[in-house]
Amino acid sequence: MAIKFNGNDLPSYILINNIKDMLLPPNKPITEKVTGRDGNYFFGNEVDNRSIDIDYTIVANNEDDLRLKAREFANYLYTDAPAELIILAEPDKYYLAIAEGEVSIDEILSVGQGTIKFICTDPYAYNVSESVDTLTLDAN
């Protein structure tokens, strides 16, 4: 499994170990209790952010190379605003995501591992390419 973020392919030295995505984003039904009525009135759902956690491994030649590649990967992940995140298991869909918090790395010699938590403030998946339908009228 791999990802594409902000229009860029994943660097070749990054291995994706696991992707944890939500089946549905968190939602909370909006209801109101009215005296004398059984149950509540339903006024829709309030949908919260989607989070996608990605476990990764950086493979390097030595400790210095690992530090260099970790900095390059940090630049790959940083954006000022949510950007397109494509999980290549579903290459026709994207999420608008931004890396949240501190992306830490555990280093052992020339290998680094960690987890990236992407937050999707717009919790829905979108089609990568839009299709346009043409309406033709039959003159008969």
Side-chain angles (χ1 to χ4, degrees), residues 103-122:
V103 178
S104 61
I105 182 171
D106 296 327
E107 300 177 29
I108 301 174
L109 300 175
S110 63
V111 176
Q113 293 186 318
T115 301
I116 308 156
K117 182 178 190 119
F118 283 103
I119 294 297
C120 307
T121 56
D122 182 351

Side-chain angles (χ1 to χ4, degrees), residues 11 17 23 29-30 35 45-46 50 55 64 87 94-95 103 107 119 126 130:
N17 305 326
L23 186 59
I30 301 168
T35 305
N45 282 319
E46 185 176 289
R50 174 185 296 270
D55 299 331
D64 291 337
I87 299 170
Y94 73 88
Y95 298 93
V103 178
E107 300 177 29
I119 294 297
Y126 293 95
E130 294 183 25

Side-chain angles (χ1 to χ4, degrees), residues 84 86 90-94 125-133:
E84 286 187 13
I86 299 172
E90 274 190 305
D92 61 330
K93 305 279 186 265
Y94 73 88
Y126 293 95
N127 287 327
V128 169
S129 60
E130 294 183 25
S131 63
V132 177
D133 292 330

Side-chain angles (χ1 to χ4, degrees), residues 59-76:
V59 180
N61 297 322
N62 54 48
E63 290 178 43
D64 291 337
D65 189 37
L66 177 61
R67 292 272 86 222
L68 177 67
K69 288 179 176 175
R71 289 186 195 286
E72 288 175 6
F73 189 45
N75 286 333
Y76 171 86

